[in-house]
Every structure is written in structure tokens, then in C-alpha cells.
PDB file of all heavy atoms in Angstrom:
ATOM      1  N   PHE A   1       0.771  -1.244  -0.099  1.00 89.00           N
ATOM      2  CA  PHE A   1       0.076   0.006   0.045  1.00 89.00           C
ATOM      3  C   PHE A   1       0.845   1.201  -0.059  1.00 89.00           C
ATOM      4  O   PHE A   1       0.598   2.257  -0.661  1.00 89.00           O
ATOM      5  CB  PHE A   1      -0.944   0.022   1.149  1.00 89.00           C
ATOM      6  CG  PHE A   1      -1.925   1.083   1.170  1.00 89.00           C
ATOM      7  CD1 PHE A   1      -3.146   1.032   0.469  1.00 89.00           C
ATOM      8  CD2 PHE A   1      -1.626   2.367   1.848  1.00 89.00           C
ATOM      9  CE1 PHE A   1      -4.006   2.080   0.498  1.00 89.00           C
ATOM     10  CE2 PHE A   1      -2.734   3.382   1.766  1.00 89.00           C
ATOM     11  CZ  PHE A   1      -3.693   3.309   1.150  1.00 89.00           C
ATOM     12  N   ASN A   2       1.879   1.227   0.905  1.00 85.00           N
ATOM     13  CA  ASN A   2       2.864   2.464   0.933  1.00 85.00           C
ATOM     14  C   ASN A   2       4.112   2.158   0.153  1.00 85.00           C
ATOM     15  O   ASN A   2       4.831   1.199   0.433  1.00 85.00           O
ATOM     16  CB  ASN A   2       3.122   2.701   2.388  1.00 85.00           C
ATOM     17  CG  ASN A   2       1.873   3.063   3.248  1.00 85.00           C
ATOM     18  OD1 ASN A   2       1.291   3.972   2.869  1.00 85.00           O
ATOM     19  ND2 ASN A   2       1.647   2.267   4.279  1.00 85.00           N
ATOM     20  N   LEU A   3       4.348   2.984  -0.937  1.00 89.00           N
ATOM     21  CA  LEU A   3       5.428   2.771  -1.837  1.00 89.00           C
ATOM     22  C   LEU A   3       6.023   4.112  -1.953  1.00 89.00           C
ATOM     23  O   LEU A   3       5.341   5.222  -2.050  1.00 89.00           O
ATOM     24  CB  LEU A   3       5.121   2.150  -3.079  1.00 89.00           C
ATOM     25  CG  LEU A   3       4.481   0.739  -3.037  1.00 89.00           C
ATOM     26  CD1 LEU A   3       3.470   0.646  -4.196  1.00 89.00           C
ATOM     27  CD2 LEU A   3       5.653  -0.236  -3.193  1.00 89.00           C
ATOM     28  N   PRO A   4       7.426   4.204  -2.090  1.00 89.00           N
ATOM     29  CA  PRO A   4       8.029   5.602  -2.301  1.00 89.00           C
ATOM     30  C   PRO A   4       7.823   6.202  -3.512  1.00 89.00           C
ATOM     31  O   PRO A   4       7.839   7.424  -3.688  1.00 89.00           O
ATOM     32  CB  PRO A   4       9.560   5.109  -2.024  1.00 89.00           C
ATOM     33  CG  PRO A   4       9.695   3.807  -2.459  1.00 89.00           C
ATOM     34  CD  PRO A   4       8.341   3.111  -1.930  1.00 89.00           C
ATOM     35  N   LYS A   5       7.605   5.393  -4.660  1.00 89.00           N
ATOM     36  CA  LYS A   5       7.466   5.924  -6.011  1.00 89.00           C
ATOM     37  C   LYS A   5       6.022   6.052  -6.446  1.00 89.00           C
ATOM     38  O   LYS A   5       5.873   6.651  -7.462  1.00 89.00           O
ATOM     39  CB  LYS A   5       8.289   5.149  -7.006  1.00 89.00           C
ATOM     40  CG  LYS A   5       9.802   5.088  -6.710  1.00 89.00           C
ATOM     41  CD  LYS A   5      10.587   4.206  -7.657  1.00 89.00           C
ATOM     42  CE  LYS A   5      12.030   4.087  -7.332  1.00 89.00           C
ATOM     43  NZ  LYS A   5      12.830   3.322  -8.266  1.00 89.00           N
ATOM     44  N   THR A   6       5.226   5.395  -5.707  1.00 88.00           N
ATOM     45  CA  THR A   6       3.770   5.574  -6.261  1.00 88.00           C
ATOM     46  C   THR A   6       2.879   5.035  -4.939  1.00 88.00           C
ATOM     47  O   THR A   6       3.515   4.812  -3.913  1.00 88.00           O
ATOM     48  CB  THR A   6       3.510   4.582  -7.362  1.00 88.00           C
ATOM     49  OG1 THR A   6       2.002   4.713  -7.731  1.00 88.00           O
ATOM     50  CG2 THR A   6       3.569   3.075  -7.034  1.00 88.00           C
ATOM     51  N   SER A   7       1.670   5.072  -5.054  1.00 87.00           N
ATOM     52  CA  SER A   7       0.766   4.513  -3.950  1.00 87.00           C
ATOM     53  C   SER A   7      -0.004   3.332  -4.394  1.00 87.00           C
ATOM     54  O   SER A   7      -0.290   3.211  -5.539  1.00 87.00           O
ATOM     55  CB  SER A   7      -0.124   5.773  -3.384  1.00 87.00           C
ATOM     56  OG  SER A   7      -1.194   5.824  -4.363  1.00 87.00           O
ATOM     57  N   GLY A   8      -0.420   2.551  -3.384  1.00 89.00           N
ATOM     58  CA  GLY A   8      -1.266   1.305  -3.668  1.00 89.00           C
ATOM     59  C   GLY A   8      -2.484   1.703  -4.313  1.00 89.00           C
ATOM     60  O   GLY A   8      -3.032   1.019  -5.386  1.00 89.00           O
ATOM     61  N   LEU A   9      -3.133   2.884  -3.938  1.00 90.00           N
ATOM     62  CA  LEU A   9      -4.442   3.232  -4.408  1.00 90.00           C
ATOM     63  C   LEU A   9      -4.323   3.679  -5.987  1.00 90.00           C
ATOM     64  O   LEU A   9      -5.200   3.401  -6.849  1.00 90.00           O
ATOM     65  CB  LEU A   9      -5.126   4.335  -3.668  1.00 90.00           C
ATOM     66  CG  LEU A   9      -5.765   3.946  -2.334  1.00 90.00           C
ATOM     67  CD1 LEU A   9      -6.329   4.996  -1.542  1.00 90.00           C
ATOM     68  CD2 LEU A   9      -6.672   2.861  -2.599  1.00 90.00           C
ATOM     69  N   GLU A  10      -3.223   4.299  -6.284  1.00 93.00           N
ATOM     70  CA  GLU A  10      -2.860   4.685  -7.587  1.00 93.00           C
ATOM     71  C   GLU A  10      -2.676   3.463  -8.560  1.00 93.00           C
ATOM     72  O   GLU A  10      -3.238   3.413  -9.639  1.00 93.00           O
ATOM     73  CB  GLU A  10      -1.652   5.693  -7.901  1.00 93.00           C
ATOM     74  CG  GLU A  10      -1.886   7.006  -7.252  1.00 93.00           C
ATOM     75  CD  GLU A  10      -0.592   7.876  -7.151  1.00 93.00           C
ATOM     76  OE1 GLU A  10       0.385   7.291  -7.408  1.00 93.00           O
ATOM     77  OE2 GLU A  10      -0.693   9.105  -6.858  1.00 93.00           O
ATOM     78  N   ALA A  11      -2.121   2.499  -7.986  1.00 94.00           N
ATOM     79  CA  ALA A  11      -1.751   1.337  -8.716  1.00 94.00           C
ATOM     80  C   ALA A  11      -3.032   0.560  -8.951  1.00 94.00           C
ATOM     81  O   ALA A  11      -3.388   0.002 -10.009  1.00 94.00           O
ATOM     82  CB  ALA A  11      -0.853   0.277  -7.962  1.00 94.00           C
ATOM     83  N   LEU A  12      -4.032   0.709  -7.948  1.00 94.00           N
ATOM     84  CA  LEU A  12      -5.329   0.043  -8.131  1.00 94.00           C
ATOM     85  C   LEU A  12      -6.174   0.610  -9.229  1.00 94.00           C
ATOM     86  O   LEU A  12      -6.810  -0.064  -9.947  1.00 94.00           O
ATOM     87  CB  LEU A  12      -6.134   0.064  -6.798  1.00 94.00           C
ATOM     88  CG  LEU A  12      -7.453  -0.522  -6.796  1.00 94.00           C
ATOM     89  CD1 LEU A  12      -7.495  -1.948  -7.077  1.00 94.00           C
ATOM     90  CD2 LEU A  12      -8.111  -0.271  -5.325  1.00 94.00           C
ATOM     91  N   VAL A  13      -6.023   1.937  -9.385  1.00 93.00           N
ATOM     92  CA  VAL A  13      -6.699   2.625 -10.358  1.00 93.00           C
ATOM     93  C   VAL A  13      -6.151   2.131 -11.821  1.00 93.00           C
ATOM     94  O   VAL A  13      -7.004   1.859 -12.717  1.00 93.00           O
ATOM     95  CB  VAL A  13      -6.680   4.153 -10.273  1.00 93.00           C
ATOM     96  CG1 VAL A  13      -7.153   4.904 -11.504  1.00 93.00           C
ATOM     97  CG2 VAL A  13      -7.354   4.661  -9.024  1.00 93.00           C
ATOM     98  N   ILE A  14      -4.928   2.061 -11.883  1.00 95.00           N
ATOM     99  CA  ILE A  14      -4.305   1.731 -13.196  1.00 95.00           C
ATOM    100  C   ILE A  14      -4.688   0.226 -13.509  1.00 95.00           C
ATOM    101  O   ILE A  14      -5.055  -0.127 -14.569  1.00 95.00           O
ATOM    102  CB  ILE A  14      -2.828   1.684 -13.051  1.00 95.00           C
ATOM    103  CG1 ILE A  14      -2.353   3.242 -12.891  1.00 95.00           C
ATOM    104  CG2 ILE A  14      -2.097   1.134 -14.228  1.00 95.00           C
ATOM    105  CD1 ILE A  14      -0.709   3.406 -12.494  1.00 95.00           C
ATOM    106  N   ALA A  15      -4.647  -0.666 -12.482  1.00 94.00           N
ATOM    107  CA  ALA A  15      -5.037  -1.973 -12.700  1.00 94.00           C
ATOM    108  C   ALA A  15      -6.538  -2.152 -13.097  1.00 94.00           C
ATOM    109  O   ALA A  15      -6.917  -2.834 -14.023  1.00 94.00           O
ATOM    110  CB  ALA A  15      -4.994  -2.776 -11.480  1.00 94.00           C
ATOM    111  N   GLN A  16      -7.348  -1.294 -12.584  1.00 92.00           N
ATOM    112  CA  GLN A  16      -8.792  -1.399 -12.896  1.00 92.00           C
ATOM    113  C   GLN A  16      -9.022  -0.910 -14.324  1.00 92.00           C
ATOM    114  O   GLN A  16     -10.013  -1.258 -15.049  1.00 92.00           O
ATOM    115  CB  GLN A  16      -9.644  -0.492 -12.004  1.00 92.00           C
ATOM    116  CG  GLN A  16      -9.800  -1.211 -10.566  1.00 92.00           C
ATOM    117  CD  GLN A  16     -10.445  -0.328  -9.526  1.00 92.00           C
ATOM    118  OE1 GLN A  16     -10.406   0.991  -9.653  1.00 92.00           O
ATOM    119  NE2 GLN A  16     -11.220  -0.922  -8.697  1.00 92.00           N
ATOM    120  N   ARG A  17      -8.109   0.049 -14.760  1.00 92.00           N
ATOM    121  CA  ARG A  17      -8.247   0.455 -16.205  1.00 92.00           C
ATOM    122  C   ARG A  17      -7.687  -0.489 -17.179  1.00 92.00           C
ATOM    123  O   ARG A  17      -8.196  -0.673 -18.242  1.00 92.00           O
ATOM    124  CB  ARG A  17      -7.486   1.870 -16.290  1.00 92.00           C
ATOM    125  CG  ARG A  17      -7.628   2.477 -17.711  1.00 92.00           C
ATOM    126  CD  ARG A  17      -6.814   3.725 -17.796  1.00 92.00           C
ATOM    127  NE  ARG A  17      -5.304   3.524 -17.757  1.00 92.00           N
ATOM    128  CZ  ARG A  17      -4.444   4.001 -16.923  1.00 92.00           C
ATOM    129  NH1 ARG A  17      -4.948   4.752 -15.985  1.00 92.00           N
ATOM    130  NH2 ARG A  17      -3.277   3.748 -16.909  1.00 92.00           N
ATOM    131  N   GLU A  18      -6.538  -1.117 -16.856  1.00 92.00           N
ATOM    132  CA  GLU A  18      -5.697  -1.914 -17.698  1.00 92.00           C
ATOM    133  C   GLU A  18      -6.155  -3.420 -17.806  1.00 92.00           C
ATOM    134  O   GLU A  18      -6.011  -4.268 -18.711  1.00 92.00           O
ATOM    135  CB  GLU A  18      -4.134  -1.854 -17.522  1.00 92.00           C
ATOM    136  CG  GLU A  18      -3.748  -0.415 -17.751  1.00 92.00           C
ATOM    137  CD  GLU A  18      -3.745  -0.090 -19.210  1.00 92.00           C
ATOM    138  OE1 GLU A  18      -3.763  -0.839 -20.078  1.00 92.00           O
ATOM    139  OE2 GLU A  18      -3.665   1.187 -19.390  1.00 92.00           O
ATOM    140  N   ALA A  19      -6.417  -3.842 -16.536  1.00 89.00           N
ATOM    141  CA  ALA A  19      -6.886  -5.310 -16.389  1.00 89.00           C
ATOM    142  C   ALA A  19      -7.924  -5.526 -15.269  1.00 89.00           C
ATOM    143  O   ALA A  19      -7.645  -6.056 -14.255  1.00 89.00           O
ATOM    144  CB  ALA A  19      -5.623  -6.093 -15.835  1.00 89.00           C
ATOM    145  N   PRO A  20      -9.135  -4.955 -15.671  1.00 87.00           N
ATOM    146  CA  PRO A  20     -10.264  -4.897 -14.567  1.00 87.00           C
ATOM    147  C   PRO A  20     -10.670  -6.347 -13.928  1.00 87.00           C
ATOM    148  O   PRO A  20     -11.274  -6.351 -13.053  1.00 87.00           O
ATOM    149  CB  PRO A  20     -11.361  -4.372 -15.334  1.00 87.00           C
ATOM    150  CG  PRO A  20     -11.062  -4.600 -16.868  1.00 87.00           C
ATOM    151  CD  PRO A  20      -9.577  -4.581 -16.891  1.00 87.00           C
ATOM    152  N   ASP A  21     -10.431  -7.348 -14.779  1.00 84.00           N
ATOM    153  CA  ASP A  21     -10.759  -8.680 -14.338  1.00 84.00           C
ATOM    154  C   ASP A  21      -9.743  -9.484 -13.416  1.00 84.00           C
ATOM    155  O   ASP A  21      -9.954 -10.477 -13.113  1.00 84.00           O
ATOM    156  CB  ASP A  21     -11.197  -9.580 -15.529  1.00 84.00           C
ATOM    157  CG  ASP A  21     -12.309  -9.108 -16.329  1.00 84.00           C
ATOM    158  OD1 ASP A  21     -13.250  -8.456 -15.701  1.00 84.00           O
ATOM    159  OD2 ASP A  21     -12.367  -9.260 -17.541  1.00 84.00           O
ATOM    160  N   VAL A  22      -8.619  -8.851 -13.352  1.00 90.00           N
ATOM    161  CA  VAL A  22      -7.563  -9.462 -12.526  1.00 90.00           C
ATOM    162  C   VAL A  22      -7.694  -9.137 -11.062  1.00 90.00           C
ATOM    163  O   VAL A  22      -7.697  -7.984 -10.692  1.00 90.00           O
ATOM    164  CB  VAL A  22      -6.115  -9.031 -13.011  1.00 90.00           C
ATOM    165  CG1 VAL A  22      -5.039  -9.628 -12.189  1.00 90.00           C
ATOM    166  CG2 VAL A  22      -5.994  -9.439 -14.528  1.00 90.00           C
ATOM    167  N   PRO A  23      -7.758 -10.190 -10.128  1.00 92.00           N
ATOM    168  CA  PRO A  23      -7.806  -9.869  -8.838  1.00 92.00           C
ATOM    169  C   PRO A  23      -6.593  -9.012  -8.251  1.00 92.00           C
ATOM    170  O   PRO A  23      -5.432  -9.231  -8.635  1.00 92.00           O
ATOM    171  CB  PRO A  23      -7.710 -11.273  -8.118  1.00 92.00           C
ATOM    172  CG  PRO A  23      -8.234 -12.197  -9.125  1.00 92.00           C
ATOM    173  CD  PRO A  23      -7.816 -11.619 -10.523  1.00 92.00           C
ATOM    174  N   PHE A  24      -6.905  -8.109  -7.353  1.00 94.00           N
ATOM    175  CA  PHE A  24      -5.849  -7.253  -6.807  1.00 94.00           C
ATOM    176  C   PHE A  24      -5.951  -7.223  -5.295  1.00 94.00           C
ATOM    177  O   PHE A  24      -6.940  -6.916  -4.703  1.00 94.00           O
ATOM    178  CB  PHE A  24      -6.234  -5.774  -7.340  1.00 94.00           C
ATOM    179  CG  PHE A  24      -5.125  -4.800  -7.031  1.00 94.00           C
ATOM    180  CD1 PHE A  24      -4.348  -4.134  -7.956  1.00 94.00           C
ATOM    181  CD2 PHE A  24      -4.923  -4.242  -5.674  1.00 94.00           C
ATOM    182  CE1 PHE A  24      -3.310  -3.248  -7.725  1.00 94.00           C
ATOM    183  CE2 PHE A  24      -3.953  -3.391  -5.359  1.00 94.00           C
ATOM    184  CZ  PHE A  24      -3.198  -2.833  -6.392  1.00 94.00           C
ATOM    185  N   VAL A  25      -4.838  -7.689  -4.721  1.00 95.00           N
ATOM    186  CA  VAL A  25      -4.690  -7.922  -3.273  1.00 95.00           C
ATOM    187  C   VAL A  25      -3.588  -6.930  -2.706  1.00 95.00           C
ATOM    188  O   VAL A  25      -2.512  -7.012  -3.128  1.00 95.00           O
ATOM    189  CB  VAL A  25      -4.380  -9.395  -2.945  1.00 95.00           C
ATOM    190  CG1 VAL A  25      -4.314  -9.561  -1.391  1.00 95.00           C
ATOM    191  CG2 VAL A  25      -5.417 -10.232  -3.561  1.00 95.00           C
ATOM    192  N   PHE A  26      -3.951  -6.204  -1.708  1.00 93.00           N
ATOM    193  CA  PHE A  26      -3.006  -5.476  -0.890  1.00 93.00           C
ATOM    194  C   PHE A  26      -2.302  -6.360   0.147  1.00 93.00           C
ATOM    195  O   PHE A  26      -3.014  -7.038   0.848  1.00 93.00           O
ATOM    196  CB  PHE A  26      -3.672  -4.278  -0.234  1.00 93.00           C
ATOM    197  CG  PHE A  26      -3.925  -3.062  -1.177  1.00 93.00           C
ATOM    198  CD1 PHE A  26      -5.210  -2.698  -1.530  1.00 93.00           C
ATOM    199  CD2 PHE A  26      -2.869  -2.342  -1.714  1.00 93.00           C
ATOM    200  CE1 PHE A  26      -5.468  -1.727  -2.292  1.00 93.00           C
ATOM    201  CE2 PHE A  26      -3.119  -1.286  -2.489  1.00 93.00           C
ATOM    202  CZ  PHE A  26      -4.332  -0.937  -2.901  1.00 93.00           C
ATOM    203  N   VAL A  27      -1.006  -6.423   0.002  1.00 93.00           N
ATOM    204  CA  VAL A  27      -0.151  -7.188   1.036  1.00 93.00           C
ATOM    205  C   VAL A  27       0.663  -6.004   1.596  1.00 93.00           C
ATOM    206  O   VAL A  27       1.619  -5.680   1.065  1.00 93.00           O
ATOM    207  CB  VAL A  27       0.628  -8.265   0.409  1.00 93.00           C
ATOM    208  CG1 VAL A  27       1.343  -9.035   1.575  1.00 93.00           C
ATOM    209  CG2 VAL A  27      -0.267  -9.205  -0.428  1.00 93.00           C
ATOM    210  N   THR A  28       0.488  -5.615   2.801  1.00 88.00           N
ATOM    211  CA  THR A  28       0.950  -4.480   3.359  1.00 88.00           C
ATOM    212  C   THR A  28       1.188  -4.529   4.980  1.00 88.00           C
ATOM    213  O   THR A  28       0.782  -5.581   5.507  1.00 88.00           O
ATOM    214  CB  THR A  28       0.202  -3.142   3.067  1.00 88.00           C
ATOM    215  OG1 THR A  28       0.884  -2.106   3.437  1.00 88.00           O
ATOM    216  CG2 THR A  28      -1.194  -3.196   3.934  1.00 88.00           C
ATOM    217  N   GLY A  29       1.976  -3.618   5.459  1.00 84.00           N
ATOM    218  CA  GLY A  29       2.194  -3.630   6.974  1.00 84.00           C
ATOM    219  C   GLY A  29       0.983  -3.044   7.655  1.00 84.00           C
ATOM    220  O   GLY A  29      -0.108  -3.202   7.166  1.00 84.00           O
ATOM    221  N   THR A  30       1.244  -2.419   8.781  1.00 73.00           N
ATOM    222  CA  THR A  30       0.258  -1.908   9.578  1.00 73.00           C
ATOM    223  C   THR A  30      -0.576  -0.895   8.831  1.00 73.00           C
ATOM    224  O   THR A  30      -0.036  -0.034   7.977  1.00 73.00           O
ATOM    225  CB  THR A  30       0.752  -1.167  10.841  1.00 73.00           C
ATOM    226  OG1 THR A  30       1.622  -2.088  11.527  1.00 73.00           O
ATOM    227  CG2 THR A  30      -0.340  -0.630  11.735  1.00 73.00           C
ATOM    228  N   ILE A  31      -1.926  -0.963   8.896  1.00 74.00           N
ATOM    229  CA  ILE A  31      -2.805  -0.022   8.114  1.00 74.00           C
ATOM    230  C   ILE A  31      -4.035   0.288   8.953  1.00 74.00           C
ATOM    231  O   ILE A  31      -4.557  -0.674   9.554  1.00 74.00           O
ATOM    232  CB  ILE A  31      -3.162  -0.631   6.710  1.00 74.00           C
ATOM    233  CG1 ILE A  31      -3.855   0.290   5.881  1.00 74.00           C
ATOM    234  CG2 ILE A  31      -3.973  -1.995   6.980  1.00 74.00           C
ATOM    235  CD1 ILE A  31      -4.100  -0.272   4.382  1.00 74.00           C
ATOM    236  N   GLY A  32      -4.522   1.435   8.914  1.00 71.00           N
ATOM    237  CA  GLY A  32      -5.809   1.735   9.717  1.00 71.00           C
ATOM    238  C   GLY A  32      -7.108   1.188   9.098  1.00 71.00           C
ATOM    239  O   GLY A  32      -7.028   0.785   7.926  1.00 71.00           O
ATOM    240  N   GLU A  33      -7.991   1.134   9.945  1.00 71.00           N
ATOM    241  CA  GLU A  33      -9.164   0.563   9.610  1.00 71.00           C
ATOM    242  C   GLU A  33      -9.986   1.392   8.300  1.00 71.00           C
ATOM    243  O   GLU A  33     -10.651   0.855   7.516  1.00 71.00           O
ATOM    244  CB  GLU A  33     -10.218   0.486  10.682  1.00 71.00           C
ATOM    245  CG  GLU A  33      -9.798  -0.639  11.821  1.00 71.00           C
ATOM    246  CD  GLU A  33     -10.827  -0.590  12.872  1.00 71.00           C
ATOM    247  OE1 GLU A  33     -11.812   0.013  12.834  1.00 71.00           O
ATOM    248  OE2 GLU A  33     -10.657  -1.352  13.889  1.00 71.00           O
ATOM    249  N   GLU A  34      -9.910   2.743   8.553  1.00 71.00           N
ATOM    250  CA  GLU A  34     -10.399   3.549   7.596  1.00 71.00           C
ATOM    251  C   GLU A  34      -9.732   3.434   6.142  1.00 71.00           C
ATOM    252  O   GLU A  34     -10.446   3.282   5.240  1.00 71.00           O
ATOM    253  CB  GLU A  34     -10.317   5.010   7.796  1.00 71.00           C
ATOM    254  CG  GLU A  34     -11.143   5.365   9.012  1.00 71.00           C
ATOM    255  CD  GLU A  34     -11.234   6.950   9.311  1.00 71.00           C
ATOM    256  OE1 GLU A  34     -10.633   7.669   8.653  1.00 71.00           O
ATOM    257  OE2 GLU A  34     -11.919   7.323  10.293  1.00 71.00           O
ATOM    258  N   ILE A  35      -8.438   3.207   6.096  1.00 75.00           N
ATOM    259  CA  ILE A  35      -7.747   2.970   4.901  1.00 75.00           C
ATOM    260  C   ILE A  35      -8.126   1.624   4.297  1.00 75.00           C
ATOM    261  O   ILE A  35      -8.176   1.390   3.082  1.00 75.00           O
ATOM    262  CB  ILE A  35      -6.175   3.291   4.988  1.00 75.00           C
ATOM    263  CG1 ILE A  35      -5.944   4.679   5.396  1.00 75.00           C
ATOM    264  CG2 ILE A  35      -5.463   2.760   3.810  1.00 75.00           C
ATOM    265  CD1 ILE A  35      -4.428   4.874   5.722  1.00 75.00           C
ATOM    266  N   ALA A  36      -8.124   0.683   5.363  1.00 75.00           N
ATOM    267  CA  ALA A  36      -8.475  -0.724   4.930  1.00 75.00           C
ATOM    268  C   ALA A  36      -9.885  -0.767   4.175  1.00 75.00           C
ATOM    269  O   ALA A  36      -9.963  -1.370   3.060  1.00 75.00           O
ATOM    270  CB  ALA A  36      -8.476  -1.655   6.114  1.00 75.00           C
ATOM    271  N   ALA A  37     -10.787   0.000   4.840  1.00 76.00           N
ATOM    272  CA  ALA A  37     -12.055  -0.071   4.163  1.00 76.00           C
ATOM    273  C   ALA A  37     -12.150   0.638   2.812  1.00 76.00           C
ATOM    274  O   ALA A  37     -12.672   0.243   1.928  1.00 76.00           O
ATOM    275  CB  ALA A  37     -13.056   0.701   5.181  1.00 76.00           C
ATOM    276  N   GLU A  38     -11.274   1.759   2.701  1.00 74.00           N
ATOM    277  CA  GLU A  38     -11.060   2.524   1.512  1.00 74.00           C
ATOM    278  C   GLU A  38     -10.670   1.701   0.380  1.00 74.00           C
ATOM    279  O   GLU A  38     -11.154   1.700  -0.746  1.00 74.00           O
ATOM    280  CB  GLU A  38     -10.203   3.734   1.709  1.00 74.00           C
ATOM    281  CG  GLU A  38     -10.179   4.653   0.541  1.00 74.00           C
ATOM    282  CD  GLU A  38      -9.247   5.696   0.723  1.00 74.00           C
ATOM    283  OE1 GLU A  38      -8.529   5.991   1.682  1.00 74.00           O
ATOM    284  OE2 GLU A  38      -9.132   6.633  -0.291  1.00 74.00           O
ATOM    285  N   THR A  39      -9.730   0.759   0.542  1.00 76.00           N
ATOM    286  CA  THR A  39      -9.127  -0.102  -0.363  1.00 76.00           C
ATOM    287  C   THR A  39     -10.061  -1.024  -1.048  1.00 76.00           C
ATOM    288  O   THR A  39     -10.225  -1.259  -2.177  1.00 76.00           O
ATOM    289  CB  THR A  39      -7.968  -0.944   0.095  1.00 76.00           C
ATOM    290  OG1 THR A  39      -8.492  -1.860   1.219  1.00 76.00           O
ATOM    291  CG2 THR A  39      -6.862  -0.162   0.748  1.00 76.00           C
ATOM    292  N   ILE A  40     -11.012  -1.544  -0.210  1.00 73.00           N
ATOM    293  CA  ILE A  40     -12.175  -2.493  -0.606  1.00 73.00           C
ATOM    294  C   ILE A  40     -13.194  -1.619  -1.339  1.00 73.00           C
ATOM    295  O   ILE A  40     -13.592  -2.113  -2.453  1.00 73.00           O
ATOM    296  CB  ILE A  40     -12.705  -3.153   0.649  1.00 73.00           C
ATOM    297  CG1 ILE A  40     -11.765  -4.001   1.310  1.00 73.00           C
ATOM    298  CG2 ILE A  40     -13.858  -4.141   0.046  1.00 73.00           C
ATOM    299  CD1 ILE A  40     -10.975  -5.050   0.589  1.00 73.00           C
ATOM    300  N   LEU A  41     -13.491  -0.509  -0.835  1.00 72.00           N
ATOM    301  CA  LEU A  41     -14.556   0.216  -1.465  1.00 72.00           C
ATOM    302  C   LEU A  41     -14.038   0.901  -2.885  1.00 72.00           C
ATOM    303  O   LEU A  41     -14.787   1.048  -3.759  1.00 72.00           O
ATOM    304  CB  LEU A  41     -14.925   1.533  -0.754  1.00 72.00           C
ATOM    305  CG  LEU A  41     -15.736   1.266   0.578  1.00 72.00           C
ATOM    306  CD1 LEU A  41     -15.741   2.571   1.412  1.00 72.00           C
ATOM    307  CD2 LEU A  41     -17.120   0.794   0.291  1.00 72.00           C
TER     308      LEU A  41
END
């Protein structure tokens, strides 16, 4: 989710545009509940 050169959410947007049928899973360190919910939403 947290990357120095991009963000996980930006990558998710790109994936939904380029490969919308491919499952996308965040594998990350500590993350808040609000952000966790945001990733699923």
C-alpha cells in the first residue's frame, strides 16, 4: 500500500483500467481501519 515511487491506490486505479478482471490484493504492513475499508470500496 505504501510505496516511495507510487501509492497502492494509484496502482489499483491503473489495474482497474488496464486489467479490470485481474484480482488485486494489498499485502501491506500496519494499516488503519479507515484506509483498509477504502481499499475495498
Side-chain angles (χ1 to χ4, degrees):
F1 187 83
N2 298 305
L3 298 147
K5 299 179 182 179
T6 186
S7 76
L9 286 178
E10 288 174 350
L12 178 57
V13 171
I14 295 171
Q16 288 175 330
R17 183 183 71 237
E18 299 292 336
D21 296 330
V22 176
F24 188 110
V25 180
F26 281 109
V27 183
T28 189
T30 304
I31 190 171
E33 291 183 5
E34 289 185 6
I35 296 178
E38 185 180 3
T39 64
I40 303 302
L41 289 173

